[in-house]
Amino acid sequence: MKNVTILGSTGSIGVNTLDVIARHPDRFRVFALSAHARVAELAAQCAAHAPRFAVIAEPHAEALRAALRQAACDTEVVAGPGALESIAAHPEADVVMAAIVGAAGLPGSLAAARAGKTVLLANKEALVMAGRLFMDAVHANRATLLPIDSEHNAVFQSLPRNFADGLARTGVTRIVLTASGGPFRTRPIASLSQVTPKEACAHPNWVMGRKISVDSATMMNKGLEVIEAHWLFDAPPDRIEVLVHPQSIVHSMVEYIDGSVIAQLGNPDMRTPIAYGLGFPERIHAGVPLLDLAKAGRLDFEALDHDRFPCVALAYAALRQGGAAPAILNAANEVAVEAFLNGQLAFTDIHAVIDRVLSTAAIREAGSLEEVQAADAHARTQARIQVTERMALARLKG
Ligand code: NAD
Ligand code: MG
């Protein structure tokens, strides 16, 4: 029986994780759940799964306690500074699903790694911000790190088991991350400045949280994933490629020196990588319909259009710059995406804001959590200034 903690249980990944767990009551026990503010959803999850602990942001703790009392659920509510970290590192938890979105997920993800847990990492932003720190924590504390992001899960499945000996030494020449191209792959570029949050969040193949949906529409998601792949697999930037594949059936591939290419395929359903992580090293049912390639009919591939998706090049540049550059990229992106979702920023200005923040920032080291958080905070301030300036400009024009 594995005790599972889910950080971000009310989100898209969190709900899918609970779905897989519920299919295997003989294998998994829900040990702790966490949410930011959705009291009713978290209370319902506690009533259904009876975890020992539930973590929520402090202002909502009393409301959650009341909801749990009403449901006669004896889950203990934990809130306040350090709550997520202490639950992530709890000695009785075996597996921690890190599924909080954005920089907010870093402290919990890092605490799980430092406590030597089996970490199922969906929270890619943690690796983008603090890749070196996070991977050092994994190695120093013998944590088991299993990527949940579908592309990285596919790469993990396609790599040789001893890939940690070095990609070149194990005959790997390239990692190819596939990308659907999102909702705007074929939309006229000139019209992109006018797209709405609703259009940006309508992903053709995946149902996901709003932030990652916008990231998929700008393809910054793929940029973040290039950085994520760099840290997970110790792959140099020029060994990581992006290939557009609109059907999202080939989830990524690994190319070998002898010309072989090994890929992982499946229906686009996050329960497959989640079940892989939960069951590892065994395979377990995920509730996902099996892939019918005859029905799918065709698999298309095309090169990435950098004019349409300039965010990918920004991410490669930040990765090559190193230090705190990826943390700055990530923070500026989070601010810009939120502003876009709030109707304060044009879709095409997401890239402009990040570019400006990155090109004007002094890039420092990112060796400690404090340094990473300082870079993150500074970049957020700069990005907000950029957003405000653009709002003023739009008002003048409009
Ligand atoms: P979501 O928005 O649906 O859910 C986010 C979860 O994080 C919620 O439970 C929310 O309560 C919690 N949260 C948000 N802000 C918080 C804060 N400040 N403090 C504490 N908790 C907070 O997001 P999602 O789509 O499930 O994505 C989660 C992570 O997984 C992201 O990093 C995303 O990039 C990654 N991911 C998601 C998918 C997908 O299919 N949804 C695929 C690959 C990777
Ligand atoms: Mg992905």
Side-chain angles (χ1 to χ4, degrees):
M1 201 59 137
K2 289 184 196 168
N3 273 342
V4 184
T5 290
I6 307 176
L7 308 179
S9 64
T10 54
S12 162
I13 294 290
V15 167
N16 277 307
T17 305
L18 284 171
D19 180 281
V20 176
I21 286 177
R23 292 166 195 277
H24 303 279
D26 51 323
R27 284 177 182 266
F28 307 112
R29 188 185 301 120
V30 178
F31 181 70
L33 297 174
S34 99
H36 187 48
R38 293 191 204 152
V39 171
E41 272 121 305
L42 184 56
Q45 290 181 340
C46 290
H49 297 277
R52 269 265 296 283
F53 300 105
V55 186
I56 196 152
E58 187 123 56
H60 307 286
E62 269 322 306
L64 180 62
R65 286 193 186 100
L68 291 177
R69 268 195 304 276
Q70 199 157 39
C73 173
D74 55 14
T75 297
E76 183 181 331
V77 176
V78 188
L84 273 171
E85 287 101 311
S86 66
I87 290 299
H90 195 289
E92 282 173 53
D94 304 303
V95 178
V96 176
M97 166 59 85
I100 290 174
V101 62
L106 175 60
S109 305
L110 191 60
R114 284 179 172 160
K117 302 295 181 195
T118 295
V119 184
L120 274 44
L121 190 73
N123 175 218
K124 68 189 84 186
E125 295 90 347
L127 265 187
V128 171
M129 292 173 74
R132 165 97 51 216
L133 197 66
F134 190 87
M135 295 310 292
D136 284 352
V138 166
H139 296 135
N141 300 287
R142 296 175 174 275
T144 303
L145 180 59
L146 298 169
I148 298 304
D149 210 348
S150 58
E151 296 77 4
H152 306 75
N153 190 268
V155 170
F156 187 84
Q157 294 194 43
S158 305
L159 281 170
R161 274 301 130 240
N162 61 337
F163 74 84
D165 294 346
L167 292 190
R169 263 211 242 167
T170 50
V172 173
T173 46
R174 275 190 315 165
I175 287 174
V176 181
L177 301 177
T178 54
S180 70
F184 304 140
R185 183 175 59 88
T186 57
R187 184 166 175 139
I189 294 186
S191 71
L192 288 180
S193 60
Q194 304 300 323
V195 300
T196 64
K198 195 169 166 219
E199 290 171 309
C201 288
H203 196 280
N205 306 335
W206 302 94
V207 182
M208 310 180 286
R210 281 161 71 79
K211 192 262 176 179
I212 184 176
S213 295
V214 177
D215 284 348
S216 300
T218 61
M219 279 191 76
M220 178 56 94
N221 183 50
K222 212 50 54 179
L224 300 178
E225 290 182 357
V226 166
I227 301 174
E228 184 185 11
H230 164 75
W231 290 113
L232 282 171
F233 310 120
D234 195 15
D238 59 353
R239 297 280 166 175
I240 309 168
E241 277 187 29
V242 173
L243 178 65
V244 174
H245 165 48
Q247 291 92 353
S248 298
I249 285 176
V250 178
H251 295 306
S252 280
M253 349 186 184
V254 174
E255 180 195 73
Y256 289 83
I257 198 165
D258 61 2
S260 299
V261 176
I262 301 192
Q264 185 256 358
L265 284 71
N267 284 316
D269 188 320
M270 287 308 293
R271 290 176 300 176
T272 295
I274 290 168
Y276 181 88
L278 284 170
F280 187 83
E282 287 174 53
R283 298 268 180 180
I284 62 172
H285 281 289
V288 178
L290 298 180
L291 179 60
D292 183 345
L293 276 178
K295 198 168 148 209
R298 53 186 288 174
L299 302 174
D300 295 305
F301 299 94
E302 56 193 59
L304 173 66
D305 177 351
H306 282 282
D307 293 331
R308 177 180 292 278
F309 298 116
C311 285
V312 181
L314 277 183
Y316 270 103
L319 175 58
R320 290 195 164 102
Q321 260 189 299
I328 293 168
L329 171 97
N330 179 68
N333 180 55
E334 286 189 26
V335 169
V337 168
E338 201 186 323
F340 167 69
L341 284 170
N342 292 335
Q344 299 169 324
L345 193 69
F347 181 75
T348 38
D349 276 348
I350 296 175
H351 163 264
V353 166
I354 304 163
D355 190 13
R356 186 61 191 278
V357 172
L358 256 181
S359 59
T360 54
I363 309 296
R364 300 208 164 80
E365 283 308 304
S368 68
L369 187 55
E370 292 67 34
E371 282 174 332
V372 169
Q373 284 173 335
D376 174 275
H378 184 70
R380 277 171 206 272
T381 307
Q382 296 306 310
R384 285 194 193 103
I385 292 171
Q386 288 299 316
V387 169
T388 310
E389 279 180 12
R390 280 173 168 74
M391 283 168 73
L393 218 81
R395 267 198 299 277
L396 277 178
K397 279 192 201 154

Coordinates of all heavy atoms in Angstrom, one line a residue, residues 124 149-151 221-222 225, ligand 2:
K124 N 6.1 21.7 -13.8 CA 7.3 21.9 -14.5 C 8.0 23.2 -14.2 O 9.2 23.3 -14.3 CB 7.0 21.9 -16.0 CG 6.1 23.0 -16.5 CD 5.7 22.8 -18.0 CE 4.4 21.9 -18.0 NZ 4.0 21.5 -19.4
D149 N 4.6 15.3 -16.9 CA 4.4 16.0 -18.1 C 4.4 14.9 -19.2 O 5.4 14.1 -19.3 CB 5.5 17.0 -18.3 CG 5.0 18.3 -19.1 OD1 3.9 18.2 -19.6 OD2 5.7 19.3 -19.1
S150 N 3.4 14.9 -20.1 CA 3.3 13.8 -21.0 C 4.5 13.6 -21.9 O 4.9 12.4 -22.1 CB 2.0 13.9 -21.9 OG 2.1 15.1 -22.6
E151 N 5.1 14.7 -22.3 CA 6.3 14.6 -23.2 C 7.5 13.9 -22.5 O 8.2 13.0 -23.0 CB 6.8 15.9 -23.7 CG 5.7 16.6 -24.6 CD 4.6 17.2 -23.9 OE1 4.6 17.2 -22.6 OE2 3.6 17.8 -24.5
N221 N 4.7 26.9 -23.3 CA 4.7 25.6 -22.7 C 5.8 24.7 -23.2 O 6.5 24.0 -22.5 CB 3.3 24.9 -22.9 CG 3.2 23.6 -22.1 OD1 3.5 23.5 -20.9 ND2 2.8 22.5 -22.8
K222 N 6.0 24.7 -24.5 CA 7.0 23.9 -25.1 C 8.4 24.4 -24.7 O 9.3 23.6 -24.5 CB 6.9 23.8 -26.6 CG 7.3 22.5 -27.2 CD 6.7 21.2 -26.6 CE 5.3 21.2 -26.4 NZ 4.8 19.9 -25.8
E225 N 9.1 23.3 -21.4 CA 9.4 21.8 -21.5 C 10.8 21.5 -22.0 O 11.4 20.5 -21.6 CB 8.3 21.1 -22.3 CG 7.0 21.1 -21.6 CD 5.9 20.4 -22.4 OE1 6.1 19.9 -23.5 OE2 4.8 20.3 -21.8
Ligands
MG2 MG 3.4 18.7 -21.7

